[in-house]
Amino acid sequence: MTAAPPQDTTAPYYDLGSYHRSTDTPSTAAQVWFDRGLVWAYAFNHDEAIRCFERALDHDPDLAIARWGIAYAVGPNYNKAWEAFDPADLAASLARARAELLLARGGRASAVERDLIAALAARFPTDDPADAEALTAGHAAYAEAMSGVCEAHPDDVDVQTLAADALLNVTAWALWDTATGEPAEGSRVLEATRILEAALTTDAGRAHPGVLHLYIHAMEMSAAPQDALPAADLLRGLVPDAGHLQHMASHIDVLCGDYRASVVANTAAVRADRKFVEREGPLNFYSLYRAHDLHFIVYSAMFEGRFATALEAADELAGQLTPELLTIESPPMADWLEAFAPLRIHVLIRFGRWQDLIAQPLPDDVDLYCTTAATIHYGRGVAYAVTGDVENARAEREAFAAAYARIPDSRYLFNNTSRDILAVAAAMLDGELAYREGRFDAAFAALRSAVALDDALPYDEPWGWMQPTRHALGALLLEQGRVEEAAQVYAADLGLDPTLARCCQHPNNVWSLHGYHECLKRLGRNDEAIIIGQQLALAGARADVPITASCACRLDTSDGCCG
């Protein structure tokens, strides 16, 4: 990697670090805008990447690689497969990509650039947006083509990055079988990781935003996500104003139980996101990535026991999800974003703010905010159950079921549908209600059903369900004196036995540490209790509330003397 060219100083722009890929353009400005476009593409801000490539073409209309950049950025990506494009977006994107690649063939390009242009054409094998089979086949064809380009140019770090990206997208978000730790069916993740790990042996690769970003995605759902910690550390601060890259290290942080590092990474991401909103406004697809960063703060702060941080981030996120944003039809923003709105409910449940939950009003538009409405009924139901108002808890359970029925299948929270996520809520609420009615066998059966549904959610980070279901199960087992069972629940959650897939474990979380420590003391396993007690003391040091049980739904904490 060579030194960056002089920056265009005619107008302020974002700080994108030092990335540079030389082209043969005679225009310094075109080179600057091309570099910026490629950084944004690696940072998954594809709309801004397209704007930069267009600016490069303003300065050098014959720059073929800039047209390649537009086609690359307008197509599918790891977070937006063809299936996620609405019909209008799909037709426009496919037509734009094919048109730009046709123009690129007649432009000025080096040998490697011509290879990239030819390879990318395989991703768009048809001009018919209704031909889903051909578009899906394009993933594999593009991966094959880029593997060939990588073999022809083995020392080109951008080619390595793009080849790995093509291979990962063959089965995006389904790279590994989390139950076995082996590659998922059809996945080409092993090829991708070999390419990325080879790049990471070089100075250029260790300073490359795309290599580092993709390696995190390649490893996060594997059996050894910790292997990506060095890459995550290299990515921190590498591209200061690219919010998504500032955030990416947290995908590994949470899996390794470093919830503080995750909060710090996403706080930096949110600062960068605010700069982007000041310049481009909030009504764009990047709002999904801004929501993701705040979502991560909520999730990580909850694991740390930091109520104020979690609630502040949840409220900031809800404030961003205005009707003006959610009523944008293409792309359908409500389907992409509305499910982020009720994170406050999960925070209030996590920290046992029962009266706040009972007082939580429904949204004015329960059809637009349908996931939110159902989640509020769930939260109220839990609050009424825990506070002993079984009649109102039953009423909220019925209201939840009605609200759930109104949620369309098209509503998602990243990789999970709202309906799949709230199926966990339904089982949790059944368990809490049965428990308060004294039907303990039914309660624990329902809670174990919630655990099974939680574990079976498609991989996502943060996980689709915000508070591990084992935290409530373990807490209520302890309250009933079923200490051995509770100990097994906590050991699994902490990853201290091989029960769970790696992605379902929550190392070092203060809630399960508390529950497990209590179990060990009550079982007389004192040597183990000393070890876990030290971990608990460290994990709880930053909590801003007393930790007296693994779930606030446990009311008898007389034996929870370790908070």
Side-chain angles (χ1 to χ4, degrees):
M1 189 174 293
T2 58
Q7 293 291 295
D8 181 354
T9 58
T10 59
Y13 197 65
Y14 306 99
D15 181 356
L16 299 182
S18 61
Y19 171 83
H20 171 59
R21 178 181 179 83
S22 292
T23 71
D24 65 353
T25 179
S27 167
T28 300
Q31 178 68 67
V32 169
W33 284 109
F34 173 78
D35 287 342
R36 290 170 173 173
L38 202 47
V39 173
W40 283 123
Y42 291 143
F44 287 7
N45 189 334
H46 297 95
D47 289 344
E48 186 66 16
I50 292 166
R51 283 191 286 270
C52 292
F53 291 132
E54 289 171 340
R55 291 292 298 273
L57 288 167
D58 289 341
H59 292 282
D60 183 358
D62 202 33
L63 186 61
I65 195 63
R67 296 198 182 278
W68 165 90
I70 294 171
Y72 175 77
V74 84
N77 60 70
Y78 196 73
N79 285 333
K80 189 182 180 186
W82 280 129
E83 297 79 22
F85 284 65
D86 68 89
D89 190 13
L90 175 57
S93 298
L94 182 59
R96 177 84 188 271
R98 288 172 62 87
E100 293 292 347
L101 289 172
L102 183 61
L103 290 169
R105 291 190 199 106
R108 186 181 68 257
S110 67
V112 64
E113 290 168 355
R114 294 221 174 272
D115 287 347
L116 290 172
I117 292 165
L120 187 58
R123 178 177 261 186
F124 310 102
T126 177
D127 61 1
D128 181 4
D131 191 348
E133 184 176 348
L135 293 175
T136 299
H139 290 308
Y142 177 51
E144 283 298 320
M146 280 307 305
S147 293
V149 178
C150 193
E151 289 179 8
H153 306 278
D155 299 322
D156 188 317
V157 68
D158 288 300
V159 170
Q160 291 174 306
T161 302
L162 295 164
D165 176 61
L167 290 163
L168 295 178
N169 275 289
V170 172
T171 56
W173 289 107
L175 303 177
W176 300 90
D177 181 335
T178 57
T180 66
E182 297 298 319
E185 183 178 356
S187 171
R188 301 185 66 175
V189 68
L190 293 182
E191 297 166 76
T193 53
R194 280 196 293 268
I195 292 170
L196 294 168
E197 286 170 354
L200 287 168
T201 65
T202 68
D203 290 341
R206 287 190 293 272
H208 194 282
V211 169
L212 300 169
H213 183 179
L214 293 173
Y215 192 63
I216 289 170
H217 278 311
M219 295 306 297
E220 63 179 304
M221 66 184 299
S222 75
Q226 66 274 9
D227 289 353
L229 276 171
D233 289 340
L234 289 169
L235 190 54
R236 302 178 203 272
L238 184 66
V239 187
D241 287 346
H244 188 61
L245 294 182
Q246 291 278 38
H247 138 88
M248 271 305 302
S250 64
H251 280 244
I252 303 301
D253 293 333
V254 294
L255 289 161
C256 296
D258 194 343
Y259 307 109
R260 174 62 178 168
S262 178
V263 170
V264 171
N266 284 285
T267 300
V270 168
R271 285 196 296 267
D273 292 341
R274 288 172 183 152
K275 291 183 181 180
F276 188 76
V277 171
E278 288 173 6
R279 188 180 181 104
E280 299 297 336
L283 304 181
N284 46 61
F285 191 77
Y286 191 72
S287 290
L288 175 66
Y289 290 92
R290 295 194 294 117
H292 186 49
D293 298 341
L294 286 163
H295 181 197
F296 242 104
I297 292 177
V298 176
Y299 183 74
S300 304
M302 285 168 63
F303 271 115
E304 275 200 295
R306 292 174 61 192
F307 172 70
T309 300
L311 190 66
E312 181 181 5
D315 287 346
E316 181 176 349
L317 176 49
Q320 293 178 2
L321 303 178
T322 63
E324 183 183 15
L325 174 62
L326 297 185
T327 51
I328 293 173
E329 294 184 357
S330 182
M333 288 300 200
D335 285 346
W336 284 93
L337 288 170
E338 183 266 329
F340 287 98
L343 293 186
R344 158 181 263 264
I345 303 302
H346 295 284
V347 176
L348 296 177
I349 291 173
R350 168 84 280 180
F351 293 96
R353 306 302 170 114
W354 309 125
Q355 295 307 316
D356 291 340
L357 282 162
I358 290 168
Q360 188 72 29
L362 289 170
D364 293 335
D365 188 339
V366 295
D367 292 317
L368 179 61
Y369 291 91
C370 54
T371 307
T372 304
T375 306
I376 289 171
H377 285 302
Y378 159 69
R380 286 177 178 172
V382 171
Y384 278 125
V386 174
T387 56
D389 189 342
V390 172
E391 183 177 351
N392 272 317
R394 289 196 192 104
E396 290 293 345
R397 179 64 179 86
E398 292 177 8
F400 167 84
Y404 180 88
R406 293 195 299 269
I407 301 173
D409 292 335
S410 58
R411 289 288 165 98
Y412 274 80
L413 185 70
F414 260 86
N415 294 335
N416 288 275
T417 68
S418 291
R419 295 177 65 84
D420 284 349
I421 292 170
L422 288 175
V424 181
M428 286 292 297
L429 185 49
D430 286 345
E432 293 282 0
L433 183 53
Y435 188 86
R436 299 307 160 185
E437 292 172 332
R439 297 185 293 113
F440 297 126
D441 287 344
F444 290 123
L447 291 173
R448 291 188 187 278
S449 175
V451 166
L453 290 168
D454 185 9
D455 289 349
L457 289 173
Y459 177 84
D460 210 348
E461 212 59 69
W463 198 252
W465 186 249
M466 290 292 286
Q467 175 177 328
T469 43
R470 285 179 176 79
H471 292 187
L473 174 60
L476 297 182
L477 285 170
L478 266 178
E479 192 167 65
Q480 291 302 307
R482 295 163 67 166
V483 183
E484 286 278 6
E485 291 177 73
Q488 293 170 7
V489 167
Y490 292 129
D493 186 63
L494 290 163
L496 299 179
D497 66 28
T499 302
L500 299 183
R502 179 63 182 82
C503 59
C504 294
Q505 301 169 13
H506 307 104
N508 301 326
N509 82 85
V510 67
W511 308 96
S512 277
L513 286 171
H514 186 283
Y516 194 44
H517 186 240
E518 180 181 342
C519 290
L520 294 173
K521 292 187 71 174
R522 290 171 67 172
L523 292 169
R525 293 162 58 181
N526 294 325
D527 290 344
E528 295 168 82
I530 290 170
I531 296 170
I532 296 299
Q534 175 69 358
Q535 294 178 29
L536 173 59
L538 295 174
R542 289 195 175 100
D544 64 1
V545 297
I547 308 298
T548 60
S550 65
C551 180
C553 61
R554 177 185 172 188
L555 301 181
D556 175 13
T557 59
S558 57
D559 291 318
C561 56
C562 318

